[in-house]
């Protein structure tokens, strides 16, 4: 497997960074995960736009988006990724010594790391739906920035696994916000709901695709908060993410959702999503 | 400069970690910073106890504290650090591939990184006191765990520097909690106040020393919240940390504190702290 690190294409085993990298010391960096279908990057423009927003949010001076795009495409080729794959991109504020929280000098080179590898499509889970738990949202107040400060997400996902389920939904102020690495939707009164894009959720690329599919297909949809107490009577619940696509939720905290089976609207959106992906050039 | 990485003592330039390290990808790790005075580690037992608590808080399976103590001592020697120095220790949940939030297999080796380097004592600032700003606390809900998910702290410290001051005090729910890398104290009605050790502050080692010095010297002290609106009329304000020791605050958000000079109680605690350090074997 070939990866990209600071201008070089290297075998994965030869890619090394300094432990003084601010990504390692301070979580001072941002990332993106892009789905590659049949060797083509899905919605790469949107991912690049979000990457720019994340960099701007942290005031990391880096604007060489063509470098990232080229690395992503070349890694798909170099690694022969003709089927489902993900491209992972991370940019940190570089290395500085001695360790100091404040930003390093303006001329400090950022660290750019890109990897691409095959993934197994989660079709079986998309067929049956997944069980989840809810968990108090311990995260910071800028969940809209896709930063590598993912420790609360790590703990939430592990909590889900320890509970024997697939994912955890963050709940803050009685609102069910999003999954540990996915956005969250409910179907209530035949309307597809998802949280407005504020500071408490990540503006998901797949979320946008789902909303656009609703729009084009006259499926009623609204961006508004989903309260925890609405989950138990919701017609359907589902998650969206780059790797999950449209993932039905059939159980929350041990309680069955939509009769323990993926709901009709979720099914419809899965089909529309697949068709949309297949339609791309 | 020699550093310690996963069992080896290496020149700093030869220490490399994988970009797949969970410290780099997820901020999935903990750290400690210990002050070394005249080649002796200050309150190393307390730092090791806190390190164990942080590891337990994140469920990182590592208990080889003797390894850490030995590395810290040996780096002080190898690097000839006979005067003021800090030892930085970081332990992450190791490396796993492919990238996945949830914990890696139980037998995954943690990453252990230790460095030690000289620091310049901040005596001039301790003499004059420092200006600070207040900033909304955007951090997560487990500030009591000394994790490397320090991005909000980075942004706060940079915000202070951009404002032309030395540090920023995190304010949450109208309570002034702590600095970007320090604990916070106020002297109000002749009582030294600092926030109770809850989930919203780091349980500082230097904070404990300050409280113990108060105890031994009959200086009235209480652990209770300091409200933002109390700052403007407080007799004195100060910070404590491993590298700052006892640092007077003489300005907050542009307003002068204690007449723009370090206050009496702060001065007394600085003297007691210096005497205490000098008294250690």
């Amino acid at each position: 497997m070939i990866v990209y690190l600071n201008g070089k294409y290297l075998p994965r085993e030869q890619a090394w960074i300094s432990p003084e990298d601010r990504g390692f010391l301070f979580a001072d960096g941002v990332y993106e995960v892009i789905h590659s279908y049949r060797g083509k990057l899905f919605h790469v423009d949107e991912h690049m736009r979000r990457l720019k927003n994340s960099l701007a949010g942290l005031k990391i001076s880096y604007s060489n988006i063509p470098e990232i795009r080229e690395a992503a495409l070349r890694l798909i080729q170099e690694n022969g990724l003709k089927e489902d794959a993900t491209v992972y991109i991370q940019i940190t504020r570089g290395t500085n010594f001695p360790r100091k929280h404040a930003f390093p000098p303006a001329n400090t080179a950022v660290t750019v790391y890109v990897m691409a590898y095959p993934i197994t499509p989660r079709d079986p889970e998309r067929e049956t739906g997944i069980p989840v738990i809810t968990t108090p949202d311990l995260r910071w107040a800028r969940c809209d920035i896709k930063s590598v400060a993912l420790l609360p997400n790590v703990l939430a996902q592990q909590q889900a696994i320890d509970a024997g389920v697939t994912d955890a939904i963050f709940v803050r102020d009685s609102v069910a916000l999003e999954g540990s690495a996915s956005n969250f939707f409910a179907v209530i009164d035949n309307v597809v709901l998802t949280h407005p894009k504020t500071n408490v959720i990540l503006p998901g690329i797949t979320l946008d695709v789902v909303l656009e599919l609703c729009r084009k297909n006259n499926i009623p949809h609204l961006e508004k908060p989903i309260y925890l107490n609405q989950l138990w009577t919701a017609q359907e619940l589902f998650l969206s993410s780059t790797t999950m696509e449209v993932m039905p939720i059939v159980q929350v905290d041990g309680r069955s959702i939509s009769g323990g089976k993926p709901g009709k609207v979720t099914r419809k959106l899965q089909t529309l999503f697949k068709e949309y992906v297949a339609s791309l050039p």
Side-chain angles (χ1 to χ4, degrees), chain A:
Chain A
M1 179 179 146
I2 303 293
V3 301
Y4 179 81
L5 180 63
N6 296 328
K8 291 196 178 114
Y9 293 88
L10 302 161
R12 184 184 150 218
E13 301 71 25
Q14 291 172 30
W16 299 103
I17 59 169
S18 167
E20 288 164 17
D21 193 285
R22 295 178 61 91
F24 187 72
L25 296 179
F26 294 115
D28 193 8
V30 300
Y31 76 105
E32 281 293 327
V33 181
I34 310 180
H35 202 134
S36 168
Y37 294 98
R38 308 180 312 276
K40 298 278 172 62
L41 296 172
F42 183 71
H43 278 230
V44 63
D45 291 344
E46 289 76 3
H47 281 283
M48 291 302 109
R49 199 172 304 136
R50 186 171 65 185
L51 181 61
K52 278 197 259 185
N53 287 341
S54 297
L55 290 164
L58 301 189
K59 297 182 183 168
I60 294 178
S61 298
Y62 176 82
S63 55
N64 195 356
I65 298 298
E67 176 191 10
I68 303 296
R69 294 179 82 116
E70 195 195 315
L73 284 172
R74 187 161 153 194
L75 289 181
I76 294 287
Q77 290 171 343
E78 295 259 359
N79 294 299
L81 300 170
K82 297 193 173 73
E83 300 303 327
D84 282 68
T86 56
V87 177
Y88 176 85
I89 298 153
Q90 181 167 341
I91 301 172
T92 77
R93 209 185 305 272
T95 296
N96 74 314
F97 183 84
R99 177 181 176 278
K100 195 183 169 197
H101 289 60
F103 297 174
N107 60 353
T108 304
V110 301
T111 298
V112 176
Y113 178 61
V114 187
M115 57 178 163
Y117 48 87
I119 52 167
T120 306
R122 297 174 70 168
D123 292 320
E125 287 171 291
R126 281 192 285 263
E127 223 29 60
T128 57
I130 58 168
V132 304
I133 51 168
T134 59
T135 190
D137 187 3
L138 305 181
R139 298 173 303 163
W140 74 323
R142 292 301 306 273
C143 303
D144 54 320
I145 296 174
K146 203 165 169 71
S147 88
V148 293
L150 289 168
L151 182 54
N153 306 65
V154 163
L155 297 178
Q157 202 168 106
Q158 185 61 35
Q159 192 193 345
I161 284 167
D162 291 344
V165 301
T166 308
D167 206 353
I169 308 290
F170 287 121
V171 176
R172 188 183 293 204
D173 299 332
S174 302
V175 177
L177 294 171
E178 56 182 345
S180 69
S182 56
N183 288 116
F184 176 63
F185 294 76
V187 182
I188 295 174
D189 294 336
N190 300 312
V191 179
V192 174
L193 303 177
T194 195
H195 197 277
K197 285 183 205 140
T198 67
N199 62 305
V200 291
I201 69 158
L202 186 81
I205 307 295
T206 310
L207 177 148
D208 274 341
V209 172
V210 169
L211 291 180
E212 183 61 20
L213 291 173
C214 286
R215 223 168 278 135
K216 282 187 182 159
N217 293 278
N218 299 314
I219 299 170
H221 58 282
L222 273 177
E223 290 174 69
K224 54 178 258 187
I226 302 159
Y227 292 92
L228 181 59
N229 65 6
Q230 294 183 288
L231 300 193
W232 321 117
T233 54
Q235 291 160 274
E236 307 178 22
L237 302 177
F238 64 92
L239 297 173
S240 76
S241 83
T242 285
T243 50
M244 284 181 167
E245 300 174 355
V246 176
M247 181 64 79
I249 294 172
V250 294
Q251 190 196 89
V252 179
D253 293 339
R255 297 202 228 178
S256 187
I257 302 293
S258 61
K261 289 184 299 190
K264 270 185 204 173
V265 179
T266 309
R267 280 286 189 218
K268 175 76 178 163
L269 286 166
Q270 285 182 321
T271 305
L272 291 169
F273 191 91
K274 285 285 181 210
E275 286 171 2
Y276 174 64
V277 169
S279 76
L280 292 175

